[in-house]
Amino acid sequence: MTTTPTALLVHGAFADAGSWAGVVAELQNQGIPVIAPPNPLRGLAADAAYIASVAAQIDGPVVLVGHSYGGAVISVAGTTENVVGLVYIAAYVPEEGESLGELQGRFPLSQLVSNLKEWTYPVEGGEAAVEVTIQAEAFPGIFAADVPAPVTKALAVSQRPLAASSFTEPASAAAWKTKPSWALVAEADQAINPEVERFGAKRADATIVELAGASHAVAVSQPKEVAALIRDAVRATS
């Protein structure tokens, strides 16, 4: 059993665990245990159950870190007994019973909403469900404006789609009510209105860091700053 919490990094929509690569390297260099599992992106309850199961199988305490939609996932999964802290990176921080659509509907919508492309995928029973990605041509400006163009081109064509139902599914829990929280607000975010990030973080009484000029892909563009906030959470909960 370790007394240093493991940082469990949960990616959001339109990305994969590789988006944490720079952050993982920073944390490993600082001797912080870290794991970045895949987030299924098939629905809030299902995704949170999966992440909770991963956290529960880690020996010792865990700090959950959620980017974007991953913030909603950790808000639910964070009720797991060995989770000792929550870190939100350019993320949604929903209240119990609140959907992402309701949360972001409190503020002017970002460019993301009008630049989503719908796809379908098969589900049990032979039905087809809807999933969404960001239009490839709009992806760089919306998701990763401060990331080099060659990188954004690769990210745009390797997106992980999100089940559309994730926007309307209410959060079944709000772990930030009982677990200490930290939050990074990306001030130049075009995927989630920074006011949405700021509102949720303040409501959760989180320790807040704001980065001027940071895009939604802040974990890619500014891994040192993201890792520094995670390190603060790990140290505070050790």
Side-chain angles (χ1 to χ4, degrees):
M1 296 284 286
T2 175
T3 57
T4 300
T6 296
L8 196 164
L9 313 182
V10 182
H11 67 81
F14 323 125
D16 61 24
S19 61
W20 292 113
V23 176
V24 168
E26 291 290 332
L27 294 175
Q28 289 177 334
N29 287 340
Q30 295 169 35
I32 295 173
V34 59
I35 180 173
N39 182 359
L41 305 180
R42 296 296 79 172
L44 183 52
D47 295 341
Y50 175 75
I51 294 301
S53 75
V54 175
Q57 294 175 73
I58 295 173
D59 289 335
V62 171
V63 169
L64 285 181
V65 183
H67 173 247
S68 188
Y69 163 71
V73 175
I74 70 169
S75 292
V76 178
T79 58
T80 305
E81 185 176 357
N82 64 327
V83 172
V84 295
L86 307 167
V87 182
Y88 295 91
I89 305 298
Y92 293 109
V93 189
E95 169 67 280
E96 182 178 355
E98 183 178 55
S99 70
L100 299 189
E102 290 169 336
L103 174 54
Q104 66 184 12
R106 294 171 177 263
F107 301 92
L109 295 178
S110 70
Q111 296 181 34
L112 174 72
V113 179
S114 59
N115 284 281
L116 292 175
K117 181 177 180 179
E118 292 190 353
W119 306 75
T120 60
Y121 65 97
V123 293
E124 189 175 353
E127 300 295 322
V130 176
E131 61 184 11
V132 293
T133 58
I134 303 173
Q135 297 279 3
E137 63 275 10
F139 183 93
I142 291 175
F143 199 90
D146 58 349
V147 175
V151 178
T152 62
K153 289 180 180 178
L155 294 175
V157 298
S158 59
Q159 295 179 57
R160 289 276 312 281
L162 175 69
S165 62
S166 303
F167 290 106
T168 57
E169 187 178 348
S172 63
W176 47 263
K177 290 184 173 181
T178 57
K179 308 286 175 78
S181 302
W182 290 257
L184 186 152
V185 175
E187 293 186 356
D189 201 330
Q190 299 297 321
I192 300 178
N193 185 336
E195 288 298 330
V196 174
E197 301 170 15
R198 194 173 290 115
F199 169 80
K202 289 181 178 179
R203 182 169 62 178
D205 196 26
T207 299
I208 301 172
V209 170
E210 302 210 8
L211 289 185
S215 76
H216 193 60
V218 62
V220 177
S221 63
Q222 300 195 47
K224 290 182 183 294
E225 289 77 2
V226 171
L229 184 62
I230 297 170
R231 181 193 63 217
D232 289 347
V234 167
R235 287 178 175 174
T237 55
S238 292

